[in-house]
Amino acid sequence: MECEQAQFSNSTDDEDQEKSARRFVGWAMGLPFVAFVARETFGGRTTLLTELPTPLQWVACLAGLALGGVVAQILAQRSAKTFGRSKAIFAAISLIALSVVTFSYLGRWAFELASFANLETEIQSAQVRIMGVRTGKSGTFAAARLFPDGREVDVPITNELYADLAATRPPLWSKTYSEELFCLTLPQQNGRWGAIRAYVPARWDDGLSHFEDCHRQIKG
């Protein structure tokens, strides 16, 4: 009887540890998604057209790596027995990668907020060159750049505009930045430290429905 009770107690402890490990993995995996949703909800109508300065990129990546490493170590301690060694290692690596990506994403957002906080600058229209288009469950988008070494950003567009632009390939998308002929016009604002941002439709808004021949009349 005592042996059976001991086995039942060990089994219960293992189940509790497994549930605890699964909850921990769920929270750790869910936090990056929550951060992304928060960014898209509160700041989804603007996007940086310039890259995050290199020193800040390193800071964000190292911070993400450090936090991811700590979380991964805790995960390994909690789940090695319940998940198995290979699954625990895979989950730990995934957490570290997610942490680095999330901190880079949030670092860029923080830089944008700091660059434009309490700053009143004129908003002007600017053309961004269309480098490609894509579609998926999250919508239809045009990949656009303000200048050759700038960030390539996703701009929501309508299904009709996607179809028009997609019909121009393959010759359009095989060209370099300077050779691209089609543009989108976006409201643009200059901030501190060389930061430039554009105002774009949020993911739940209607996308842009017109494109232009660069420096020419609007088509659409």
Side-chain angles (χ1 to χ4, degrees), residues 203-216:
R203 291 178 182 267
W204 57 84
D205 293 334
D206 293 334
L208 299 183
S209 59
H210 297 83
F211 72 96
E212 308 171 0
D213 291 337
C214 296
H215 306 298
R216 296 182 182 178

Side-chain angles (χ1 to χ4, degrees), residues 1-13:
M1 178 67 74
E2 292 180 357
C3 181
E4 291 179 356
Q5 290 178 344
Q7 290 178 348
F8 177 77
S9 176
N10 290 335
S11 176
T12 302
D13 290 342

Side-chain angles (χ1 to χ4, degrees), residues 111-186:
F111 176 72
E112 179 186 343
L113 293 176
S115 298
F116 294 92
N118 300 320
L119 185 65
E120 296 183 2
T121 59
E122 183 180 359
I123 298 177
Q124 300 177 337
S125 295
Q127 288 187 327
V128 291
R129 293 182 185 256
I130 301 172
M131 307 302 297
V133 291
R134 68 176 180 84
T135 185
K137 292 183 179 180
S138 58
T140 52
F141 302 89
R145 285 184 183 178
L146 179 62
F147 37 80
D149 57 347
R151 283 190 68 229
E152 188 168 289
V153 299
D154 283 340
V155 180
I157 58 176
T158 62
N159 292 331
E160 293 76 14
L161 182 56
Y162 169 82
D164 289 343
L165 290 170
T168 66
R169 57 198 317 172
L172 174 64
W173 311 132
S174 62
K175 296 177 181 178
T176 64
Y177 173 87
S178 60
E179 294 173 335
E180 294 291 1
L181 300 177
F182 299 150
C183 289
L184 299 172
T185 294
L186 300 175

Side-chain angles (χ1 to χ4, degrees), residues 23 65 124 143 153 192:
R23 283 196 299 268
L65 185 63
Q124 300 177 337
V153 299
R192 303 180 182 92

Side-chain angles (χ1 to χ4, degrees), residues 21-38 71 91 94-95 98-99 102 106:
R22 290 185 182 279
R23 283 196 299 268
F24 180 79
V25 172
W27 278 104
M29 294 289 193
L31 285 177
F33 177 74
V34 171
F36 172 79
V37 171
V71 174
S94 299
L95 280 173
L98 272 175
S99 181
T102 300
L106 295 179

